[in-house]
Amino acid sequence: MLLYVDANFASPYALVAFVSLIEKGLSFEIEPLDLVARANQGPDFAKTSITRRIPTLIHDEFALSESSAISEYLDEAFAGTHLYPTNPRDRARARQVQAWVRSDLMPIRDERPTFVVFNGAKRPALSEGAREAADKLFSAALTLLEGRTDNLFGEWSIADVDLAMMLQRLIVLGDPVPQRLIDYATHQWRRPSVQQWIDKKRPPLVGY
């Protein structure tokens, strides 16, 4: 297997695909692409990935992009750690969480890009819009974790990585975050598969 990721190892979606492969115990190689140089738009990659996006997973002759699709494919095709809950409603909720953090909370994603988490980039104080988005994030996360311990659904799932990633955008710069959510995100960040991504050697940031 081959996984295309961003050269800065900062994509939250590449993180999810990488962790999914590690959790499944699969052997794979990594191919970093320089997105600043638009390497993902080159003709060679266009032949590989129909959407020209990372992450893209290559398994035999099958190429698949979009991190949640990659996680679902790996969960259905291979044994190993369950990436999604087995209970149908919890599984649907996990997918909801993944879709939500990819499609909403844009002020947080704009003002707290993942370069702040993985590359030490600095950013000014949150705007009013970003603070409102953060409040919505906290409310939803606390509701999802109500009555739980370390994970959203009792057992770990890949949705925990997605939610923790969104929270870490705020935590690393010292933005106000409820302690319950700091503890949750910190626990998820200590998972060995996530640590392998965190420990990747990264090139210096340009333009940040």
Side-chain angles (χ1 to χ4, degrees):
M1 288 191 186
L2 176 66
L3 182 67
Y4 286 94
V5 303
D6 60 303
N8 287 99
F9 295 98
S11 166
Y13 314 120
L15 160 66
V16 166
F18 175 88
V19 168
S20 297
L21 286 160
I22 295 293
E23 292 288 343
K24 285 294 182 180
L26 298 169
S27 298
F28 64 100
E29 296 181 1
I30 290 178
E31 183 68 34
L33 292 179
D34 187 346
L35 302 187
V36 176
R38 296 175 58 82
N40 59 312
Q41 301 298 325
D44 290 339
F45 190 66
K47 294 176 184 177
T48 299
S49 174
I50 58 175
T51 56
R52 307 184 190 188
R53 289 164 64 92
I54 61 95
T56 289
L57 175 71
I58 310 298
H59 179 211
D60 297 330
E61 301 302 317
F62 180 57
L64 182 66
S65 58
E66 303 303 326
S67 59
S68 57
I70 291 171
S71 295
E72 290 187 36
Y73 169 69
L74 294 173
D75 209 26
E76 294 170 3
F78 297 96
T81 303
H82 287 296
L83 301 178
Y84 291 91
T86 55
N87 177 279
R89 292 189 176 182
D90 284 347
R91 189 178 182 91
R93 185 72 75 198
R95 288 168 167 161
Q96 178 188 356
V97 169
Q98 287 191 297
W100 177 53
V101 298
R102 286 161 173 72
S103 62
D104 199 356
L105 308 171
M106 186 58 73
I108 298 176
R109 290 190 282 157
D110 284 344
E111 297 182 29
R112 296 293 183 264
T114 51
F115 290 115
V116 305
V117 179
F118 298 117
N119 301 82
K122 304 300 181 183
R123 284 292 182 271
L126 293 172
S127 67
E128 181 178 351
R131 290 197 301 272
E132 290 175 356
D135 288 341
K136 180 165 66 171
L137 169 63
F138 301 155
S139 176
L142 289 169
T143 299
L144 288 164
L145 286 166
E146 187 174 357
R148 308 287 187 175
T149 53
D150 296 327
N151 306 306
L152 289 173
F153 307 105
E155 296 294 326
W156 176 88
S157 79
I158 196 64
D160 284 300
V161 177
D162 278 294
L163 183 58
M165 177 73 256
M166 185 59 72
L167 291 167
Q168 288 289 357
R169 295 171 185 261
L170 300 164
I171 293 169
V172 295
L173 286 187
D175 294 313
V177 177
Q179 188 62 47
R180 172 72 175 95
L181 300 182
I182 294 175
D183 294 343
Y184 164 77
T186 300
H187 174 76
Q188 298 302 327
W189 233 232
R190 289 174 179 158
R191 193 169 181 89
S193 56
V194 177
Q195 282 291 311
Q196 287 191 46
W197 179 264
I198 293 171
D199 291 341
K200 291 292 182 187
K201 185 176 180 180
R202 293 171 171 84
L205 279 179
V206 178
Y208 282 86

